[in-house]
Amino acid sequence: KVQESLEGTEKEIPDLEKRLRELSLAREACTGLQEQQELLLGLETSLRKKKAAAEQGLALYKKQAEEYNKLYTCFLAEQVGLIAGQLKEGEPCPVCGSREHPRKAAAMEHVPSQEELDQLQEHLELARTEMENASKKAAELVGKVDLQKKQIMEKLHELEKEKMLAEPMESENWNVQDIQSQIHNKQVELAEQENKLTEQILDNTKKVKYYKN
């Protein structure tokens, strides 16, 4: 009986060692997945900042465009006022050709100069460029976030097939923090199993050596 027990204990060691290697690989896979998720969280944080910058850029552009259009309208109105000031009864208007001018356009009190308009236009174009750049960067990050999510989902499905996740992921509408928690718990569980298997292998090895000696 002792001999049979010894043979059984000795034969069990390779299977235990194989299982230990599998657990080690599984834990490494979980660690890799966790790192991918941390990268995703960083990308999502950056994306939120880029989107905020794009929204601020758009708001600034709209504000400056409104200001420019308002002043440009005043500028054009003043040009009309200047023409009206030169009109004389009986002489044709250079714009419409009428010889009667019952309601001449009045001159504006404050009118921007051409130089002021040019400066405003430069600021407007700069705001447009910054807005477009911010939107472009946000769009690029959206692509990176989507790619990272896809890679994580593929890895999750692999882990599901290997029965390493407690619950299957049925859709891509998942929360990164929830999965991180699940993976962390799995890592702890796998580490505990590894320790138990290591102890069992050492115990079996000691028994084999003891009875053989």
Side-chain angles (χ1 to χ4, degrees), residues 10-202:
E10 190 171 11
K11 289 180 179 179
E12 193 179 39
I13 292 176
D15 292 335
L16 293 174
E17 289 176 338
K18 179 182 177 183
R19 178 56 182 159
L20 182 61
R21 288 192 295 272
E22 291 174 348
L23 288 174
S24 179
L25 290 174
R27 189 160 56 85
E28 288 177 7
C30 285
T31 300
L33 181 57
Q34 195 170 38
E35 290 173 354
Q36 283 184 291
Q37 290 170 320
E38 289 171 357
L39 176 59
L40 176 59
L41 283 174
L43 288 173
E44 288 182 332
T45 298
S46 297
L47 178 57
R48 284 193 293 272
K49 292 180 180 179
K50 295 298 181 185
K51 282 184 174 180
E55 290 172 0
Q56 290 175 358
L58 177 60
L60 177 61
Y61 173 74
K62 286 182 176 180
K63 180 180 178 181
Q64 292 191 354
E66 183 179 350
E67 182 181 359
Y68 175 81
N69 291 333
K70 181 179 179 181
L71 292 179
Y72 186 65
T73 300
C74 291
F75 178 80
L76 292 179
E78 175 61 14
Q79 304 310 305
V80 174
L82 290 174
I83 294 174
Q86 298 173 359
L87 292 177
K88 295 181 180 179
E89 289 299 328
E91 294 183 1
C93 172
V95 178
C96 66
S98 175
R99 293 179 179 275
E100 295 180 358
H101 321 294
R103 298 177 63 185
K104 295 181 182 180
M108 306 288 291
E109 291 185 4
H110 174 70
V111 181
S113 65
Q114 184 65 55
E115 184 179 356
E116 288 176 319
L117 282 176
D118 290 342
Q119 288 180 348
L120 281 173
Q121 189 171 29
E122 288 180 8
H123 293 159
L124 182 61
E125 289 304 316
L126 180 60
R128 181 204 297 273
T129 299
E130 291 178 349
M131 175 194 67
E132 290 175 348
N133 288 338
S135 297
K136 182 179 179 181
K137 290 178 180 178
E140 289 174 353
L141 269 178
V142 168
K144 290 181 180 180
V145 167
D146 289 342
L147 177 60
Q148 188 67 12
K149 282 186 175 182
K150 181 181 177 182
Q151 291 175 345
I152 290 175
M153 182 57 62
E154 290 173 352
K155 189 63 180 178
L156 281 171
H157 288 322
E158 288 179 13
L159 296 178
E160 290 167 17
K161 290 178 181 178
E162 296 171 12
K163 306 300 182 182
M164 288 172 55
L165 288 179
E167 298 178 1
M169 304 300 298
E170 297 180 354
S171 72
E172 296 189 4
N173 297 322
W174 44 272
N175 183 286
V176 178
Q177 288 85 352
D178 291 342
I179 298 300
Q180 274 190 317
S181 176
Q182 189 179 5
I183 293 300
H184 173 72
N185 293 337
K186 195 64 182 180
Q187 282 179 306
V188 173
E189 179 186 335
L190 290 170
E192 291 175 351
Q193 291 180 20
E194 280 185 84
N195 290 335
K196 289 181 181 179
L197 274 176
T198 301
E199 291 176 1
Q200 190 173 351
I201 290 171
L202 289 174

